[in-house]
Structures are given as structure tokens and as C-alpha cells.
Amino acid sequence: MWTGQFAKRHNISQSTIGFYIKQGLLAPAIVNGRYDFRESDDLDMQLIAELKRLQFSLEDISAAVTQFRIFKDSVAPADQQLLSMFINKRMELLEEQARLQSSLTFLEQTICMMQERENAREAKTLVNGLDIRFLPLLNCPCGKRLTMNLEQIESGQIRNASLSCTCGYNAVIENGILINPKGECLPTPPVYTYFHPDEEMTGEMRNYLYHLYRQMESMLSDSSCNGKVILETHIGNSSFLLQKAKVLSPSSLYIFCDPQYEVIAREKKLLDALDRQLNTMCIVSNYQVFPLERGCVDFIIDYFQNTSFDLFTDGFVFPRWKRYLHQGSKLIGVFIDIPHNSRSAVKFKAIHPDCTPNMHSFEDFKHSLKEHGFVIEQLYQPDPLSRSYHPWHYPGDKLYYYCYCARLEKL
């Protein structure tokens, strides 16, 4: 048969056949200037395919094919070099089999452990309510005290209740979640979500974000957060505090807030299933105005929120938080600087036409912090990224990330 027919029979390309001939792996007859493949060539090709499957090197395959051609029709004794090669490969494959079996055993044990843990979490029916320790923190956005009508309370946990104010404000607690009424707060601007599904990130990007998380964790622990009130707003796809739940202080009060009920319900389910008890309150509310007492918050977690807010409002969100802070309160967060007029900034504006004409830089952010009475106590700036998972980022454009801790020095 000719080259095309041979290639089709063995499901390989003609260029691969030419390479094998050049390397001496195949030695077809030549008839009228064309390669004529016969039964012996079929056997050679089958041997080559099998040896490739067994991960023999090209050099070893060439040696094996040559030896088989010599000895297959001969009464001569087996070639010791070829026999040794096969024995060594068998030992190598047996060792690999043992390694794979060890890996499979580990995976089976890990999967079993994780499934048992997940089943136990799903089987856990306890739904925590809103702990009564948070009641002194609740207040109407107008500044007046709220009146509460309790409907269900168990072991110091408020499951269901209604909240009202003489100004006309009304909110409810349902299954332990405080739900702020729609339309009672400032409108929520569009928010660019910086988290994408993990499969869209490179390993380098995941490690980069992990180091930013570690820096935030260090800044929070260095600030002696024991017994403090810590607020994380706009949880979105991922909660910093929840990811660090195993190392958080059990004496602090943690408030989780997001405009979307589905996000808060998801976070609360995870919080309720924690092995260790944390004092938590979940609020469905605009992330600018909260039903909280003035000056009651000691720390606010800002994971890209000021960057995101600024992109669509021509201003930062932290000045709107000041009413809930006191002298000495701190912001701990991450900020991304998109260089003005860069190709990435232009592309961002094309993707998000509602964003502001001038996207501010970290220098603007620092100036605004100072203007509103904040002092940056800690600042971590890793090397800029030239490649990221952002759909608007042009490879080669430098993106600057900053992890900061700012203290409110003057109200």
C-alpha cells in the first residue's frame, strides 16, 4: 500500500511517517520511486505504537524495532541488550504503578473524608439567629433608636423579628438575617467584580491574590482585633473573613453585609456550619448605609471595594462609612491602580461605558484618605503584574496592587 493508505490505516499523519522513515523506525520498500508498505511494515508500526504507549524513548524504540527485525525470523538467541531494556522498563512501570496506587489510596481517603465532612455539614440543621449581643449596635439610618417586635428567640438568638422607627423605617430579621428595606438607602452603583472563577486564573494570579490575603490577615492580627467590631461589606464572590474563619478571634463581633440576599444567605449557611462558634451578624443592605449605631465599628474590610466604587461614581466609598467609625477605627483592604490612559483603562471604559471618565489612581486614594482624616499605618506593594485574569487587561500593561491599613485619626 502507498503512504496515504498506510497513514490512514494507522491513524497518523504522512509527515509522521516521513519522520519515522528518516529515523529508521520504518523501512518500507521503494517501488518506482514510491514507498510501498507491506505486512512487515504494519508489524513495525504496531510495535512502534505500543512502545510509545509504554513511554519508551525514541532511541530505545529505534533499537527495539531494529532488533525485532533481526531476530523475529531468526534462530539466534535473544539480544541481551533488548531483553535488559524490556526488563528495566517493566521495573520502571511497576514502580510507577506503586506510586499511582499510593496516590489513588491517598485520593480515595481524602475524598471520603471530605464527603463525610460535607455530609455532616449538610446534616447540621441548626440555624443560628442574630445574637442579642448585636442589639446595642443596631440603629435606624436616620439616627434614632429602633423598636423591635420579637417573633422568635431561642437561647439568646433572634430568629425572626421586625424593626421599625418613627421616621417610617422598617426592617425584618428572617432566619437570623437582618434585611434592610429596599429603597431606604442610597442607590447602589454598578460594581465591578474582581473575582472570577478559578479556572480563568493562572496559578501566578492565584498566588498573587493569596499573598494579598496574607498581608490583610497580618494587618488585622497586628491591630489587636480581640473584642472589636469588624465589618465586611460587599462580599460578592468571596468573603475574606469567612476564608480566615479558623484564625479569627472568637471574642470579636463580625458583621457581613451585601446588597444581595442570595449572597448573604450563602455566607450565613457557611457560617452556621463552622466547627467553631463566631459571633456573626448578616445584613442584606446597601454597602453605603447600614442600620448600625454611629461610631460602633472598629474595623472595615475593603477588598477592592473603593476601587470598584470609584470606577462608577467618581469618588470613594470610605467617606460614607465614617459615620460608623470612631477615632482609631481602621480600614484594611486592597486597592488596584489602573494607569490612566493605558490601553487597559481604555478597554475597561469600552467594556463598562457607564464608568467615570477619569478612573482614579492610588495616589488619589491616599490623598482622599488624608483629606478625610485617615493615616496609612501599613502599606504593602508587591511587584506590578503584567498579566492577570481581568478581561480588560492588556498583557504587558502594568497593574499595581496595594494592600493598606489606614487609621482614622480625626473625625
Side-chain angles (χ1 to χ4, degrees):
M1 72 187 79
W2 307 122
T3 303
Q5 296 170 303
F6 188 78
K8 186 175 182 179
R9 169 177 287 191
H10 294 281
N11 196 27
I12 57 175
S13 67
Q14 294 189 41
S15 60
T16 299
I17 292 174
F19 174 76
Y20 288 165
I21 292 173
K22 186 176 180 180
Q23 297 297 318
L25 276 68
L26 291 173
I30 299 177
V31 177
N32 297 326
R34 299 174 63 185
Y35 291 118
D36 183 14
F37 294 88
R38 301 173 184 177
E39 183 180 355
S40 59
D41 300 306
D42 278 328
L43 295 174
D44 286 348
M45 191 63 240
Q46 291 169 11
L47 177 61
I48 292 168
E50 184 64 24
L51 294 177
K52 279 189 66 179
R53 189 181 67 81
L54 294 174
Q55 302 177 28
F56 276 90
S57 67
L58 190 65
E59 183 180 353
D60 286 342
I61 293 175
S62 178
V65 170
T66 301
Q67 293 301 318
F68 269 103
R69 286 178 186 148
I70 294 174
F71 290 103
K72 65 182 178 181
D73 296 322
S74 173
V75 294
D79 180 72
Q80 292 300 314
Q81 181 181 358
L82 185 61
L83 179 61
S84 176
M85 184 176 69
F86 286 155
I87 291 174
N88 290 337
K89 177 56 70 171
R90 183 182 64 179
M91 292 299 299
E92 180 183 322
L93 291 175
L94 287 172
E95 291 173 0
E96 180 66 17
Q97 182 184 41
R99 285 194 296 270
L100 288 173
Q101 185 58 53
S102 176
S103 298
L104 283 171
T105 301
F106 171 78
L107 285 172
E108 288 169 358
Q109 292 173 346
T110 304
I111 290 171
C112 182
M113 179 184 67
M114 293 177 70
Q115 287 177 335
E116 289 177 356
R117 187 183 302 166
E118 185 64 24
N119 291 338
R121 183 181 289 113
E122 290 294 329
K124 188 174 182 180
T125 57
L126 176 64
V127 177
N128 294 324
L130 193 155
D131 196 289
I132 59 174
R133 279 173 286 192
F134 286 95
L135 291 183
L137 305 182
L138 297 180
N139 209 34
C140 181
C142 78
K144 299 177 184 178
R145 299 301 299 177
L146 290 167
T147 299
M148 177 175 291
N149 180 24
L150 290 174
E151 298 175 11
Q152 184 182 10
I153 181 170
E154 298 175 11
S155 304
Q157 302 274 320
I158 302 172
R159 301 289 179 84
N160 298 288
S162 59
L163 304 167
S164 61
C165 177
T166 56
C167 72
Y169 172 90
N170 291 281
V172 296
I173 297 174
E174 293 182 355
N175 297 319
I177 298 175
L178 196 161
I179 305 174
N180 210 35
K182 294 181 179 179
E184 295 291 338
C185 300
L186 296 175
T188 300
V191 176
Y192 178 75
T193 301
Y194 284 87
F195 272 108
H196 284 238
D198 285 347
E199 59 268 25
E200 295 185 15
M201 291 192 202
T202 62
E204 178 187 10
M205 190 69 203
R206 281 194 293 268
N207 287 336
Y208 198 91
L209 293 176
Y210 172 74
H211 285 299
L212 291 174
Y213 257 55
R214 290 294 301 271
Q215 289 297 321
M216 289 177 66
E217 180 184 351
S218 174
M219 290 175 179
L220 189 62
S221 61
D222 290 347
S223 298
S224 301
C225 63
N226 291 337
K228 303 297 184 181
V229 177
I230 303 172
L231 168 65
E232 182 173 10
T233 72
H234 192 71
I235 296 168
N237 292 346
S238 179
S239 164
F240 166 77
L241 290 175
L242 185 59
Q243 292 196 40
K244 300 301 176 184
K246 291 185 178 180
V247 295
L248 294 177
S249 170
S251 66
S252 296
L253 301 179
Y254 301 96
I255 303 173
F256 298 83
C257 181
D258 194 272
Q260 298 185 55
Y261 177 84
E262 294 77 12
V263 171
I264 287 297
R266 179 199 68 201
E267 295 299 301
K268 188 175 186 306
K269 183 177 180 181
L270 294 172
L271 289 166
D272 289 345
L274 287 175
D275 295 332
R276 63 196 300 254
Q277 188 65 40
L278 291 175
N279 306 313
T280 62
M281 177 168 64
C282 295
I283 305 176
V284 178
S285 177
N286 182 290
Y287 55 77
Q288 301 175 65
V289 179
F290 313 108
L292 297 175
E293 178 72 39
R294 289 179 180 270
C296 72
V297 177
D298 300 296
F299 295 91
I300 290 184
I301 303 300
D302 163 32
Y303 195 68
F304 289 124
Q305 189 173 330
N306 273 288
T307 304
S308 175
F309 191 86
D310 177 52
L311 292 173
F312 296 98
T313 62
D314 202 16
F316 301 106
V317 69
F318 74 85
R320 296 162 173 82
W321 295 336
K322 283 185 65 177
R323 62 187 295 183
Y324 308 105
L325 304 179
H326 56 80
Q327 188 171 337
S329 294
K330 296 183 179 182
L331 303 179
I332 295 176
V334 176
F335 189 96
I336 180 174
D337 187 318
I338 306 173
H340 184 59
N341 288 333
S342 66
R343 293 175 301 172
S344 296
V346 172
K347 187 174 180 180
F348 187 100
K349 293 174 184 177
I351 297 174
H352 301 280
D354 295 332
C355 71
T356 55
N358 298 311
M359 295 186 289
H360 290 276
S361 67
F362 187 67
E363 288 300 316
D364 296 318
F365 181 61
K366 288 196 298 183
H367 177 76
S368 186
L369 283 171
K370 184 177 180 180
E371 183 181 12
H372 288 90
F374 288 87
V375 175
I376 293 183
E377 289 189 329
Q378 298 182 59
L379 182 63
Y380 170 71
Q381 181 187 359
D383 293 334
L385 275 180
S386 295
R387 298 185 65 181
S388 75
Y389 64 111
H390 302 297
W392 42 263
H393 182 210
Y394 270 96
D397 278 5
K398 290 184 177 180
L399 294 181
Y400 297 86
Y401 291 75
Y402 300 85
C403 189
Y404 74 91
C405 176
R407 176 173 52 84
L408 182 57
E409 191 174 66
K410 182 174 62 176
L411 288 170

